[in-house]
Amino acid sequence: MSDIRYNWTKEQIAEIYNTPLLELVYKAATVHRKYHNPSEVQISSLISIKTGGCPEDCAYCPQAARYHTEVKVQKLMSVDEVSDIADKARTMGASRLCMGAAWREVRDNKDFDRVLDMVKTVNAKGMEVCATLGMINEEQANKLADAGLYAYNHNVDTSEENYSSIITTRKYEDRLNTLHNVRKAGLTICSGGIIGLGESVNDRIGMLLTLSHLNPHPESVPINALVPVEGTPLGEMPIVESWEMIRMIATTRMVLPDSVVRLSAGRVQMSRETQALCFLAGAGSMFMGEKLLTTPNPDANEDKKMFDDLGLKPKNAFQHRAKKEKAEA
Ligand code: SAM
Ligand code: DTB
Ligand code: SF4
């Protein structure tokens, strides 16, 4: 498995990105088959446990308090509410539950204690629990790990050079620091980004360069297509072209061979055929359920039908961990 590398250069990633599309899809599909079971797709369900009112200025985000969007601010959910939603998601085939909060960072208060309870509750149901709560320090990462958290999502979003044109209220370095704290606590990392922000191809390559230099690579890499939301600075951006999404997924697959690439936000804007090519090119996970955090996602029954038509199966929870325990036994 010697294709896993931490010393990619921009030129090498650019060469992959600029390969003629069908040739690229073929190559990426070949790598995908070497490291993953191509007929399995991991399904996560998203819950917005705390919605809106965020102090940050991420130009794409409907939950930033400073933009006028239709998102209504909601305080932190109760543990019972999260538990009920988790039960429904599991029945639907989700093996992972991802809890998102519109926070700049975690504070050590009652709300965080409640999130720790949510993690314990969902973990006890046999689901992988993921959280995305903004910046966290080492101690908070340790507490989340002790509560049974499986993964922490924290996206680098775009290249280091482009970051300040999208977000000014924090630095790229802050993102990387949180990822460092997450790794130190022994949690798995979910980190990727967004395309369609108005970034250049060079920025897409730069983002993959950052992710590829994390050692170990993030276990999960979400590639989001911008969902333009009215009221945000990027609300009028054009929808990402199918070919761009397929190309980005395929390049990510080649650069990070053993990470699970997540076909993330923006599926409502994509045809089933586009999604099929993304799965062929190496996407191994997606979000199921009518909503992402605040924006729509395809209907779960439609997704089930797509799985049947494409011959895909939902993946069971904790396969990585089960494998490791077996090897150690
Ligand atoms: N507040 C936390 C943070 O920023 O890390 C967690 C929640 S935040 C909504 C998680 C991720 O959702 C962002 O990093 C971004 O990649 C993605 N996201 C937010 N709004 C989006 C949009 N309109 N389209 C696509 N992805 C989006
Ligand atoms: C990720 O990369 N995408 C998900 C998840 N991680 C938290 C969130 C997408 C949010 C899309 C905009 C919304 O629904 O508010
Ligand atoms: Fe806040 Fe996260 Fe949205 Fe940025 S992406 S405004 S940090 S909720």
Side-chain angles (χ1 to χ4, degrees), residues 60-63 101-103 132-134 153-155 157 170 175 194 224-227 229 265 293:
Y60 48 75
C61 187
Q63 303 200 65
W103 287 332
T132 181
L133 315 167
N153 165 252
H154 202 66
N155 293 336
D157 277 334
R170 57 170 186 259
R175 284 318 252 188
I194 313 184
N224 296 277
L226 175 75
V227 181
V229 179
L293 290 171

Side-chain angles (χ1 to χ4, degrees), residues 13 204-213 248 251-252 255:
I13 300 177
R204 292 179 189 170
I205 292 163
M207 177 178 104
L208 291 179
L209 186 79
T210 299
L211 295 170
S212 73
H213 287 182
M248 188 66 186
T251 310
T252 309
V255 175

